[in-house]
Amino acid sequence: MTNYQGQCSCGKVKFICMGAPLFTQYCHCNKCREVALLSKDTKDKVGYAYTAAYLTHDFKLQTGENNIEDLIRLGAKLILCSTCLCLIYGISLDPTKQGGIGVNAYNFNFPNGLPGPFKPVRHVWYANRIIDFDDDLPKFKDAPKEQFGSGELL
């Protein structure tokens, strides 16, 4: 199994994810855009988020446990680096939905290019987008049913 390492933009918070993500996606929700605006890293300020879904137990902070802050937004707890304000990951506030987390995939280190498991499979909350995409990925109005959305495609 391949492990993937990442860090916030200032390098004070480092993490490792065991194995490939369950999936990756582009998120266009207002919460993701709001949090991205806080970040001091320009790669986070593109108008959408790029997230990698992991089971909670497959994510481990390596350094920076004392350099994170929580931000509560729209039913989610978002973990940010307190120095660069880069999003590390988000988790639902609902205990029945805390088996997985959304890791900010911009924070991974891919020295040999984007690995196949990190290729996005869909757009979520596309109805809220501020940027149009001309790609072949499914575009969900909100989210797929397995992510507690309507499953409606645009």
Side-chain angles (χ1 to χ4, degrees):
M1 170 181 5
T2 302
N3 293 331
Y4 296 96
Q5 296 184 330
Q7 65 183 38
C8 64
S9 60
C10 73
K12 291 188 177 178
V13 178
K14 295 181 181 179
F15 62 87
I16 188 166
C17 290
M18 280 60 83
L22 301 170
F23 59 85
T24 61
Q25 63 188 7
Y26 296 122
C27 182
H28 302 268
C29 77
N30 296 331
K31 173 178 52 185
C32 284
R33 285 200 315 274
E34 176 190 354
V35 171
L37 288 174
L38 298 174
S39 176
K40 295 177 182 174
D41 193 338
T42 56
K43 76 176 180 307
D44 288 328
K45 299 176 187 266
V46 293
Y48 56 91
Y50 168 41
T51 59
Y54 273 93
L55 295 176
T56 307
H57 62 78
D58 288 333
F59 175 91
K60 302 283 184 256
L61 281 177
Q62 293 180 300
T63 63
E65 288 180 17
N66 296 323
N67 202 60
I68 59 174
E69 63 182 66
D70 298 349
L71 184 65
I72 306 299
R73 290 288 189 275
L74 301 171
K77 179 166 79 170
L78 307 167
I79 309 301
L80 288 77
C81 169
S82 58
T83 301
C84 65
L85 301 177
C86 179
L87 176 67
I88 307 301
Y89 71 88
I91 187 168
S92 175
L93 290 175
D94 181 342
T96 66
K97 299 176 184 173
Q98 291 181 344
I101 61 172
V103 179
N104 181 353
Y106 289 124
N107 292 335
F108 285 100
N109 303 318
F110 300 128
N112 299 319
L114 187 69
F118 282 86
K119 290 189 172 133
V121 298
R122 62 181 157 244
H123 293 268
V124 295
W125 295 97
Y126 200 70
N128 295 359
R129 73 192 179 281
I130 59 171
I131 296 170
D132 287 328
F133 277 75
D134 183 19
D135 59 29
D136 294 331
L137 297 176
K139 294 166 178 69
F140 287 88
K141 176 183 174 185
D142 45 30
K145 289 182 179 180
E146 64 268 20
Q147 285 181 273
F148 312 105
S150 68
E152 183 180 339
L153 290 166
L154 296 177

